[in-house]
């Protein structure tokens, strides 16, 4: 009913959605199960900011993900889980089974005192129990905060403390390729620096030797065995928070992006349905981790709200070899596949020998998300995976937007390589210049903003609303600022160029330059550092760190400096995550600074890109000589 099936229809629906957004979105919202219907569709201002959708509506999102489908789809697979090891049996949970597991989990949460509004941290492998735990939180009215299991103890501490989580759900360990990560060990280190966690529930996945703290830690399987299969979903308000998800910004520590229930639900449902042209028999596979927003919206909520079958994959693209994705597609008969450019580029580099053994003939739509997809990767994906028969949907969106904003609708919107193409209905992008003046023509390049709220817009940054205002709503009055640069071509098609702020995108992972610098500076011999991104063939962006070390250290001692660089990588790994390790480290005598002490990253970026001849004006620098020194030692 809400599915757009032709380009003509898209144009009409889009027009309506802009002329009368409230009636457009309430049409979609009315298809859901409400415990009490909302009184009003929307109230908003971007000044405070204060945005509310479906005001005074009462609902539980899990009734819309699960209970609602039982009558017709009770025995349909909701989740198909594919383990890391291809020889381990995969697991399927039908809608009925998933609901029973979620209810049991709710009863455990209840037993340990979890109530509406509590924050629960989930630090787990990509296993069905993570999905069960996420949904159980939503069902009991607790706010889930999933922390990607690749993050370090330090990162976990920051995230638990920032939102004072009461409970941690984790596992003994996880499998990733041929490695085991001892999650509980990391969690134990973290828990020494947190005060709010009262209970830890541990799922046994690897069977690794772990310690359980008496009175605090309990086993998932022990608890589930005794738990009841019935649980009445908590009645929630439309604007109650559904989850917190930490993401990196241009300054300081990651911020907790908060999404609220009803708007997120409506937007996830609608964008999944349309972008991927969902059909009842689809086997949908999004390869993201649930630790990222893509996993929240398009492994869990979007598919389940539509009654779809969603694949959850524990492993990595290159284990046991670079054909794993393609082998799983054939094995599970995946119809719609959604992955990241960094994965596409890395599999492209492994060669077609890993692709040709597979048929891939179940595929109908292939998607991309997380970073700009370059022309070569787009065509490789189109030709070798989609066999030129599957539309490539290049979907642009952010943690803060909750769901896909600018993207082709499969088989509806004519695609164009490297273009995210056109805004989805209800999405109103504008491009502005540096002064905030709207560029109304086509064939322009500017800063991407939104001039009207959509239902799953960020509501706040947890515990610090001012930070939310400053970050997204203060750069230009009355606009939501995305942080991305963007071109609009002669056809009105959007092409995302990349971040214009100090946010890096390494293999689709968002990292702040400041975050990485702060970690590097923790090394006892580092005085100061500056981090920039540079083009990297596989990762999209690589991390280039310029570091100043203490004067008493002998920089001509190569063995020593190599050791130092290794240590720097270890420090970053420990403080943030291995994904944040610098690709290149250069020891420099100084950094290019303005007279007011600001690091001129523009110059460092040029050097990291190898564009030494084109540094622009450096006369305003405090010490222009330092630039020459840096160029001499550049690591290209
Ligand atoms: C979903 C997600 C958001 C940032 C965003 C962009 C970049 C995401 C695309 C893209 C070009 C795309 N959330 N980005 N998708 N750039 N084309 N299709 O990735 O919060 O982790 O990152 O990612 O810079 O601002 S995120």
């Amino acid at each position: 009913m809400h599915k757009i099936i032709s380009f003509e229809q898209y144009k009409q629906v889009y027009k309506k959605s802009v002329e009368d957004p409230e009636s457009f979105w309430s049409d979609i919202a009315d298809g859901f199960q409400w415990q009490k219907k909302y009184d009003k569709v929307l109230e908003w201002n971007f000044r405070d900011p204060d945005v509310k959708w479906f005001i005074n509506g009462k609902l539980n999102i899990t009734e819309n993900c699960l209970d609602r489908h039982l009558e017709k789809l009770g025995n349909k697979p909701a989740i198909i889980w594919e383990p890391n090891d291809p020889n381990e049996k995969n697991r399927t949970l039908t809608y009925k089974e998933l609901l029973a597991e979620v209810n049991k989990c709710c009863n455990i949460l209840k037993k340990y005192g979890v109530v509406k509004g509590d924050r629960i941290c989930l630090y787990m492998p990509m296993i069905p129990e993570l999905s069960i735990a996420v949904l159980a939180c939503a069902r009991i009215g607790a706010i889930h905060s999933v922390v990607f299991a690749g993050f370090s103890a330090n990162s976990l501490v920051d995230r638990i403390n920032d939102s004072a989580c009461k409970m941690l759900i984790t596992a003994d360990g996880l499998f990733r390729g041929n490695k085991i990560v001892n999650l509980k060990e990391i969690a134990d280190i973290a828990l020494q620096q947190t005060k709010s966690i009262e209970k830890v529930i541990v799922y046994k996945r690897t069977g690794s030797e772990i310690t359980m703290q008496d009175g605090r830690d309990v086993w998932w399987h022990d608890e589930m065995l005794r738990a009841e299969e019935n649980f009445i979903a908590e009645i929630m308000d439309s604007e109650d928070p559904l989850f917190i998800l930490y993401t990196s910004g241009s300054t300081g520590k990651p911020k907790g992006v908060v999404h609220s229930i009803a708007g997120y639900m409506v937007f996830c449902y609608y964008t999944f349905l349309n972008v991927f042209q969902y059909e009842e028999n689809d086997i949908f596979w999004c390869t993201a981790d649930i630790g990222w927003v893509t996993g929240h919206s398009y492994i869990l909520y979007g598919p389940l709200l539509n009654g779809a079958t969603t694949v959850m994959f524990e492993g990595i693209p290159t284990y046991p070899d670079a054909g794993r994705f393609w082998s799983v597609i054939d094995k599970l008969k995946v119809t719609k596949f959604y992955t990241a450019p960094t994965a596409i580029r890395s599999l492209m580099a492994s060669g077609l020998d890993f692709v040709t053994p597979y048929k891939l003939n179940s595929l109908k739509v292939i998607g991309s998300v997380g970073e700009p997809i370059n022309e070569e990767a787009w065509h490789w994906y189109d030709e070798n995976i989609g066999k030129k028969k599957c539309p490539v949907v290049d979907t642009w969106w952010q943690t803060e937007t909750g769901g896909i904003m600018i993207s082709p609708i499969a088989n509806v919107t004519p695609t164009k390589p490297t273009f995210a193409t056109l805004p989805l209905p209800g999405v109103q992008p504008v491009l502005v210049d540096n002064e905030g003046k709207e560029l109304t023509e086509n064939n322009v390049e500017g800063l991407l903003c939104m001039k009207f709220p959509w239902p799953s817009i960020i509501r706040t940054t947890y515990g610090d609303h001012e930070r939310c205002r400053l970050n997204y709503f203060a750069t230009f009055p009355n606009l939501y600022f995305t942080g991305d640069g963007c071109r609009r071509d002669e056809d009105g098609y959007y092409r995302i160029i990349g971040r214009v702020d100090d946010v890096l995108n390494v293999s689709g992972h968002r990292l702040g330059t400041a975050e990485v610098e702060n970690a590097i500076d923790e090394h006892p011999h580092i005085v100061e550092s500056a981090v920039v991104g540079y083009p990297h063939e596989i990762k999209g962006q690589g991390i280039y760190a310029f570091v100043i070390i203490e004067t008493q250290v002998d920089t001509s001692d190569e063995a020593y400096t190599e050791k130092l660089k290794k240590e720097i990588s270890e420090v970053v790994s420990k403080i943030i995550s291995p994904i944040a390790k610098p690709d290149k480290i250069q020891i420099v005598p100084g950094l290019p600074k303005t007279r007011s002490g600001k690091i001129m990253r523009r110059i460092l970026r040029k050097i990291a890109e190898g564009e030494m001849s084109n540094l622009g004006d450096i006369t305003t620098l405090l010490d222009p000589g330092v630039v020459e020194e840096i160029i001499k030692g550049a690591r290209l």
Side-chain angles (χ1 to χ4, degrees), residues 247-248 292-294 298 338 341 368-373 393-401 403 406 418-420 482-485 495-500 503 505 508-510:
T247 193
S248 298
W292 312 116
V293 74
T294 306
Y298 300 106
Y338 191 29
S368 163
V369 60
E371 40 171 331
I373 181 165
V393 290
D394 175 1
T395 66
W396 176 86
W397 58 295
Q398 309 178 293
T399 306
E400 296 85 344
T401 71
I406 303 179
T418 75
F419 280 77
T482 65
D484 279 317
R495 179 180 199 222
I496 312 300
I497 296 158
R499 303 291 303 197
V500 296
V503 172
N505 193 329
H509 303 313
R510 255 173 84 164

Side-chain angles (χ1 to χ4, degrees), residues 503-546:
V503 172
L504 304 170
N505 193 329
V506 180
S507 299
H509 303 313
R510 255 173 84 164
L511 296 164
T513 51
E515 216 182 328
V516 181
E517 288 161 4
N518 291 342
I520 293 174
D521 297 349
E522 289 292 310
H523 188 286
H525 292 321
I526 301 297
V527 177
E528 199 182 355
S529 63
V531 159
V532 297
Y534 71 94
H536 186 288
E537 217 173 305
I538 305 283
K539 299 179 173 186
Q541 262 188 328
I543 299 179
Y544 194 127
F546 299 87

